Structure formats: C-alpha cells, structure tokens
Amino acid sequence: MKSLIIGGGLSGLALANKLEENGIDYQLLEARARFGGRIKTEQHRTGYFDMGPAWFWPGQPRIAALTERLGLEKFNQFADGDLTYENERGQVQRGRGFASMEGSWRLAGGFGALVDALLANIPMDRRQLNANVAILKQGETGVAATLASGETITADHVILSLPPRIAANIVYEPTLPAATISAMQNIPTWMAGQAKAVAVYDTPFWRANGVSGDAQSRHGPMVEIHDASAAQGGPYALFGFLGVPPQARLDQQALQQQIMSQLVRLFGPEAREPVTLFVKDWARDPQTATKADQTLIYAHPSYGLPPSMVGHWGGQLHFSGTEVAPEFGGYLEGALEAAENTLRFLTQVHN
C-alpha cells in the first residue's frame, strides 16, 4: 500500500520521516526546486536568517521533541534592552514596553537546519523536486497523479500536505463537491500575504545603544521588528514584517529604500548600510499564495479540518498541513500536528 505525499514543507517532511520509520511505502513530491515550503533560510557567512517561520514556544511539545531528537540546538530570542516605538507621523520613542518575543526559541542554523535534518532520513528515490501536480484522478485500484511535466505516479492514498487554497488549483477527477472546493478556497493561507526583510550587520550596534532590536511602528513599511542575530559571535541582524499590502510592494527598489530609511529612523545612522539585505515577499510565491491571499491577515484565523473536506474518494484523499490542524493551526507545531493525525490514519489502514 503506497501513500503519495504532495507538498514538501514541514508537514510533508515529518510525515515522510514517520512513514520511513514505520516501513510504509510512500513518495514525496514538491513543486518547488527546494524542500521546506514556507521554511526558507538565507545564509550570510556563518549566519542563518529565517525568511519564514522563525520561532517556536514553550507549550508546543511536537516541535520541541523533534528538534531535540534530531540533535538541533535551540536558543532564546534576544530581548535585552528597550523597545523602540514609531508613531504614525514617524516620531520615534524608546522604552514603551518590552520585547514581544521574549521567551520564544530560535534554532541554530535557522529552521533550514530542521529541513535538512528531516531530508537526511528520506532516501533520494522517495522524494522528488519540481513535481507540480496538475491532475489527481481516482481509478478502480488507486489514485493517479499527473504532473505538469506529464509524468504519472500512482498510489493507494494521496495526502495533500500543502495550503488548501493551493490544493484547490489541482484538477480532481471525479470533481470534488462544490462545498469542499469552497471550504478549501476559504481557508486563509497562513503567512501568504506577508513579506519579511532582514538587514545583516557586522556589529549589533543597537544593543550597545541600549535597545533590544524590538520595534513597533505605525508609520512603516515594517510594522514589527526584532533582533535576528546568530546565537553568538555574529553576524548580527534586524528583521521586520512588512505591514504594507502586497500591491504596495511591487517596486522592490523603492521598498528597499523605505526599509533602510525606517531602520535609520528607529536605530540611528549605523543602520544605513547593512552588509546585505534579504527581502522575501510570500505573496509573490505561486506555491504559497493565491489571489485570495493578497489581503493581509491581521488576526490569527480559526483553523482546523472542515467536515466537508473529510472522507473523499472512499478515504483515499486526505488533507494535511498546518491550516487543517485543529489546535496549533498556522504554526510549525500545527504542521506537525497535522502530520501526526494523518500518520495515525495511515498506520491504521496499513495494519
């Protein structure tokens, strides 16, 4: 009995690892040219900077246990010093509150180290990149997945470990009920409308000036900023979430100039010339965002698996991924929660 996992983000990678451990036949497909999904880690010299998820927290047991089992090192988010605040007129104040991410954990090597560690346990012949699934067709004996390249892969079960809105773009034969497609399209993709900037420096000058690197702004373009430095020894960095809508981020050169001007306002002239500036706009990533995701999410959605998305094709089609996790939807913990729930079902079927 073979399972086909579509989506090589954290949920798909974690599920593939568990199927490998349990000796259950599977194939893992990823449409991108890299694994990790919304986990994307940039490197500058010895520094690793997460352009997607960057933290996990106490009270999230799955991600804590997984990183420990894989021998990965966690460290505390830097939080010493004053918070910086910028009002809607661009006026800057210090000391209005404390670091909002104090108590959270980051990973040495970024979360890309987690992706690499999971990939190390998945044989090369069981994973495939640049595998964009265009059609899923249920037959008498199983499900056939046709890739955009024309290649066909058959399996007994298909697990959609990707955002439901992205999964809704696949052609299903027979067609899924209208209520199911509607439910898939109405589940917001976590982080899909977001963009993130990371400015890398040789020295943590903001720390020497008594500020934590945490900042909140009502002027923008970044609305929330944090210290993104390595655990020790540098390089050092500040990263910010962009609060302007995707339509206002089209001119990348102008956007970068606005980012640098804001960093100078908040942290002084030493912020003017980073050694490098990374910007990732997830709204422009076709494997993450759809047109419906171009509107920013300002509150955490209520996630979970709607009843209309359960039990299709005689139990051969399953939805996984963080957006369908009932407890930790949207978080890395939710991706693992969804993989755990899917594994439970597949193990029962296999036995």
Side-chain angles (χ1 to χ4, degrees), residues 13-58:
L13 290 168
L15 179 59
N17 264 251
K18 287 298 184 180
L19 295 181
E20 182 71 27
E21 288 178 12
N22 287 284
I24 298 175
D25 192 16
Y26 69 94
Q27 190 75 25
L28 174 63
L29 304 181
E30 168 55 50
R32 294 179 175 87
R34 62 173 181 84
F35 288 103
R38 282 164 279 181
I39 294 176
K40 180 175 173 59
T41 304
E42 298 284 6
Q43 182 177 1
H44 177 75
R45 297 201 295 266
T46 58
Y48 297 86
F49 307 102
D50 286 312
M51 306 307 296
W55 303 287
F56 66 107
W57 290 266

Side-chain angles (χ1 to χ4, degrees), residues 78-293:
F78 182 81
D80 296 340
D82 289 339
L83 178 139
T84 305
Y85 173 77
E86 182 179 37
N87 68 18
E88 57 274 1
R89 295 185 297 277
Q91 297 170 324
V92 176
Q93 302 174 14
R94 285 176 51 178
R96 287 187 51 170
F98 300 95
S100 59
M101 289 299 167
E102 185 172 5
S104 62
W105 290 314
R106 294 173 52 211
L107 276 188
F111 280 97
L114 174 59
V115 171
D116 291 342
L118 289 170
L119 280 172
N121 297 326
I122 303 173
M124 291 290 291
D125 61 353
R126 290 194 178 273
R127 49 184 163 107
Q128 185 174 342
L129 291 171
N130 301 303
N132 192 353
V133 175
I135 302 171
L136 286 173
K137 184 175 182 178
Q138 184 188 34
E140 293 183 3
T141 59
V143 179
T146 302
L147 309 188
S149 64
E151 179 184 357
T152 298
I153 300 170
T154 58
D156 299 286
H157 294 271
V158 172
I159 299 94
L160 296 164
S161 293
L162 68 171
R165 282 179 174 170
I166 299 297
N169 292 331
I170 298 173
V171 175
Y172 297 88
E173 299 178 3
T175 303
L176 297 178
T180 301
I181 297 296
S182 178
M184 295 163 68
Q185 294 172 336
N186 286 327
I187 297 176
T189 303
W190 182 244
M191 211 178 71
Q194 294 287 343
K196 187 173 177 180
V198 178
V200 182
Y201 300 92
D202 286 327
T203 62
F205 54 85
W206 56 94
R207 297 181 183 179
N209 294 333
V211 296
S212 63
D214 263 49
Q216 296 175 358
S217 172
R218 299 184 67 181
H219 188 67
M222 294 179 289
V223 294
E224 181 183 335
I225 298 172
H226 303 279
D227 188 307
S229 308
Q232 55 187 5
Y236 304 91
L238 295 166
F239 84 79
F241 294 107
L242 295 167
V244 293
Q247 296 79 8
R249 305 195 297 250
L250 296 176
D251 188 335
Q252 288 293 301
Q253 184 175 359
L255 179 64
Q256 291 186 20
Q257 291 174 349
Q258 293 166 8
I259 290 169
M260 297 318 307
S261 295
Q262 184 180 21
L263 287 173
V264 170
R265 292 196 305 272
L266 292 169
F267 300 105
E270 293 168 291
R272 190 179 307 280
E273 295 185 2
V275 293
T276 191
L277 175 67
F278 297 111
V279 178
K280 174 60 179 177
D281 192 336
W282 290 99
R284 308 292 167 217
D285 188 325
Q287 301 304 329
T288 299
T290 67
K291 187 176 294 186
D293 294 305

